[in-house]
């Protein structure tokens, strides 16, 4: 495993996004626990979760409880989030009210069974609440010692600068969607590189589908993502590994958090930390736009 820095912590260059272990389509508990243990065995030391990773309408915190059980005693960083909810209709609501965030963090603390949350992230800016106020709740949680370091998610460049101004170097990470398919957070990725903030791409495998592995017709269906599959075939690795290695090459501050609901997939993804693409390979992938 290779490592990258997040604040003054060293974490595996590839983390586990634990969301698929708790939402719709989730595996049974035995497989979920086996997936987390496979990540640990593969050297993964960063685990991303949220209080809202649970079935619609259910109690918050299924994913946090699962990680707490599977990781008991392990020397890893659990990064959780607050500020979203999952009512019975299956939607994802947003609540950036400082009172809610502080209550949510208390719940996460209890479920994770820790004295202080390793990394606490504002899940999404709430358009109904001034961003400064939501980030102010993170500052209070930091001052109270309830969270060690803070991050923001789904944040625009201006919001990252605002959070930095409020939190100083206690802001250590930004988690935005970024993948071969969805690259609109390029400015935020660049800003994080400039400021030395970890950039955690969520849904990092977007565009590299499983079905497109199925032979030449599948490759054609993969459209311009076919280059990821071609390089994978040349290297004898999975296209998902090529996608993750491409992300890692974007900047030394990028730390992808691929999801998994099976031990095999996180084992494969973790190996991407060791895969270094050549300049020529990266140029072929960049030409895709
Ligand atoms: N901050 C936010 O707003 C936000 C939003 C969405 C997600 N996230 C975070 O980002 C994490 C990742 O996103 P995601 O789970 O939506 O999408 P993803 O990582 O792009 O894709 C996950 C899917 O890809 C498959 N996969 C993973 N590695 C693979 C490999 N090496 N080979 C083949 N298939 C592989 C998994 O299959 P199996 O299920 O078969 O293992 C899983 O179904 C989430 O778990 C969550 O922690 C954050």
């Amino acid at each position: 495993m290779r490592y990258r820095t997040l604040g003054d912590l060293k974490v595996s260059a590839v983390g586990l996004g634990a969301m698929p272990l708790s939402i719709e389509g989730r595996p049974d508990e035995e497989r979920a626990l086996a997936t987390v243990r496979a990540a640990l065995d593969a050297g993964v030391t960063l685990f991303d979760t949220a209080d809202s990773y649970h079935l619609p309408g259910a109690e918050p915190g299924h994913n946090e409880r699962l990680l707490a059980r599977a990781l008991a005693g392990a020397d890893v960083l659990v990064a959780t989030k607050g500020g979203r909810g999952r009512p019975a209709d299956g939607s994802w609501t947003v609540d950036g009210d400082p009172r809610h965030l502080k209550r949510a963090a208390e719940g996460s603390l209890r479920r994770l069974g820790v004295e202080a949350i390793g990394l606490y992230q504002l899940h999404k800016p709430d358009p109904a609440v001034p961003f400064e106020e939501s980030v102010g709740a993170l500052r209070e949680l930091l001052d109270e010692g309830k969270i060690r370091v803070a991050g923001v998610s789904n944040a625009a460049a201006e919001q990252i600068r605002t959070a930095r101004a409020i939190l100083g170097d206690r802001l250590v990470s930004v988690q935005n969607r970024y993948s071969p398919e969805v690259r609109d957070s390029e400015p935020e990725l660049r800003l994080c590189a400039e400021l030395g903030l970890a950039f955690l791409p969520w849904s990092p495998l977007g565009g590299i589908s499983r079905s497109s592995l199925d032979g030449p017709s599948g490759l054609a269906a993969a459209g311009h993502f076919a280059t990821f599959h071609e390089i994978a075939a040349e290297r004898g690795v999975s296209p998902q590994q090529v996608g993750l290695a491409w992300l890692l090459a974007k900047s030394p501050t990028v730390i992808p958090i691929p999801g998994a609901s099976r031990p095999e997939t996180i084992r494969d993804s973790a190996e991407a930390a060791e895969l270094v693409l050549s300049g020529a390979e990266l140029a072929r992938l960049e030409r895709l736009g």
Side-chain angles (χ1 to χ4, degrees):
M1 180 52 71
R2 283 177 201 268
Y3 296 89
R4 294 206 159 178
T5 55
L6 193 150
D8 54 11
L9 300 171
K10 200 175 84 161
V11 295
S12 54
V14 173
L16 171 68
M19 182 178 75
L21 302 174
S22 292
I23 64 167
E24 296 91 320
R26 71 191 191 190
D28 63 28
E29 194 168 88
E30 193 185 337
R31 200 175 97 192
L33 291 170
T35 303
V36 179
R37 289 195 200 107
L40 269 180
D41 291 345
V44 171
T45 64
L46 171 64
F47 294 81
D48 183 70
T49 180
D51 60 352
S52 52
Y53 293 168
H54 59 81
L55 294 177
E59 281 282 296
H62 178 275
N63 205 239
E64 292 175 326
R65 278 194 206 93
L66 181 84
L67 286 184
R69 279 182 53 206
L71 296 171
D75 186 16
V76 297
L77 177 66
V78 176
T80 193
K81 314 180 199 80
R84 300 209 79 170
R86 296 221 66 202
D89 65 5
S91 62
W92 293 83
T93 54
V94 185
D95 188 347
D97 185 301
R99 285 162 300 188
H100 168 77
L101 292 172
K102 295 190 70 181
R103 263 198 315 274
E106 296 282 356
S108 293
L109 260 177
R110 260 196 322 277
R111 287 185 293 267
L112 292 172
V114 291
E115 279 173 26
I117 294 170
L119 167 60
Y120 196 66
Q121 306 157 101
L122 175 65
H123 205 148
K124 189 176 182 170
D126 182 346
V129 176
F131 185 65
E132 294 78 358
E133 290 184 15
S134 299
V135 176
L138 298 187
R139 184 177 53 196
E140 284 183 39
L141 288 164
L142 284 161
D143 291 344
E144 292 163 4
K146 291 184 175 159
I147 67 177
R148 294 196 198 284
V149 284
V152 292
S153 180
N154 300 298
E158 251 338 281
Q159 292 169 323
I160 296 169
R161 290 190 189 280
T162 300
R164 170 97 158 172
I166 295 171
L167 302 174
D169 61 8
R170 298 185 294 176
L171 176 77
V172 299
S173 64
V174 173
Q175 182 178 140
N176 279 10
R177 182 160 61 154
Y178 194 90
S179 68
E181 187 176 41
V182 182
R183 304 188 192 186
D184 52 0
S185 271
E186 187 79 34
E188 288 76 23
L189 188 156
R190 293 284 142 230
L191 179 61
C192 286
E194 184 193 317
L195 299 177
L197 297 172
F199 182 88
L200 281 41
W202 64 256
S203 294
L205 298 170
I208 306 179
S209 73
R210 216 151 238 298
S211 60
S212 52
L213 287 171
D214 302 337
S217 60
L219 267 186
H224 66 284
F225 304 116
T227 309
F228 286 86
H229 293 261
E230 284 161 15
I231 293 174
E234 290 160 19
R235 290 291 204 111
V237 298
S238 70
Q240 287 80 6
Q241 278 193 37
V242 176
L244 295 169
W246 169 78
L247 285 168
L248 288 165
K250 288 257 156 203
S251 147
T253 61
V254 169
I255 307 173
I257 47 166
S261 67
R262 296 177 298 130
E264 305 88 280
T265 42
I266 186 56
R267 262 186 226 120
D268 185 69
S269 294
E271 283 180 25
E274 309 285 346
L275 178 64
V276 179
L277 298 173
S278 71
E281 287 169 329
L282 290 170
R284 278 165 69 191
L285 294 169
E286 281 311 319
R287 274 199 295 276
L288 305 177

